Amino acid sequence: LDDSDVTIGVFATLVVAFLFLCCLGSLCQGLYKRLVPAPYFARFICHHKAEAAAQARYLQMSLSHRTGESCFLDSDHLSNLDNLLDIVRCRIGCLLVYLTTDTLHRPWCAAEISMAYLTHRRVRPIRTPSFADPTEDDLLPEKMDTFIHGSGVRFAEAGISPSAISKAMQWLLALTTTRITLNVEAVGLERIQRIVDEVISSANRYTLGGSLMTSVSSRTKSGMGSTDTTGSNNGYHKEKLDSGMVVIASLPNSDEATAAAGILGHLLQAKVMTFVRKGVCILANATADHHEDLIEETVRQARAVLIVLSE
């Protein structure tokens, strides 16, 4: 062989090797994406927007702030609703089902619960006072068409049958060890912060295999207040009442209105603190320890009063 033949042979070998490496790289990349899908969310909050949009948003903000982990809320991803079930199937660590009056009746909520049931079953139901268990008769497979209100989800295309929906809901309602109940004795945003505590503590307590860890990180318990609007101080926050604050008022005993006030307070906090030293006060966080005269004086001497209008 002359030099030109050797050169051609080397060049051909390099080309074949390069093509082989490209194919191998593409194969490895595809396998990685299959096994480790992205983006990945530590938690997915399933909720009924008409009843709990603000509560779900505040829960998401608090969980993300305190854990540094991503938390999925479909309101942030409305451009591709068809992708929601794929995310529930293989891109979340846990599905949090925020149960209000009509949660189980909503088609997307039913689909998300069913998909989690058919795949990983990492689900935590969160019961609120407005939720009431449906009867066994309500959850019969043949009644799913009337039990679920509205449309928009192609259940059959997603591989979800009426029988699967029925079994998924019965299974969800039977969960006891992972159930979280909204504490009605807590005041204001502390109700949601207690939910955050339980979600975080359970995540710290168990490994992926379900075994108890030897050490559990200390729970951070805090409500929204004038110093930290997403809750990161030790001990549940007792709202500070003082003159010269920006006061946010909302409908008492309304979790949705309180959550909306909490979101507003969080968004205002950083900007307000630059020119209002006393910070933000969420009146819904005021407890029985706060004398009525002190509350009235705080409102009267406020730098500004913002009122959250709700029904």
Side-chain angles (χ1 to χ4, degrees), residues 9 47-48 108-109 134 150 152 174 193 213 229 260 264 266 276 285 311:
H47 67 291
H48 180 207
W108 278 108
C109 294
Q193 290 300 332
M213 297 179 65
T229 57
L264 179 59
H266 170 70
V276 180
N285 289 339
E311 60 181 10

Side-chain angles (χ1 to χ4, degrees), residues 198-249:
E198 291 200 46
V199 171
I200 294 176
S201 64
S202 64
N204 289 336
R205 187 179 299 124
Y206 295 96
T207 63
L208 292 177
S211 58
L212 188 65
M213 297 179 65
T214 55
S215 63
V216 181
S217 61
S218 59
R219 292 176 14 172
T220 302
K221 301 185 295 182
S222 156
M224 179 179 292
S226 58
T227 57
D228 189 338
T229 57
T230 51
S232 60
N233 298 321
N234 292 327
Y236 287 112
H237 181 79
K238 180 179 178 180
E239 192 69 21
K240 177 183 177 182
L241 300 181
D242 201 353
S243 60
M245 304 183 77
V246 172
V247 175
I248 302 179

Side-chain angles (χ1 to χ4, degrees), residues 9-32:
V10 171
F11 179 76
T13 302
L14 292 175
V15 170
V16 171
F18 175 76
L19 293 175
F20 174 77
L21 291 176
C22 287
C23 293
L24 181 62
S26 298
L27 179 63
C28 291
Q29 184 182 26
L31 184 62
Y32 177 81

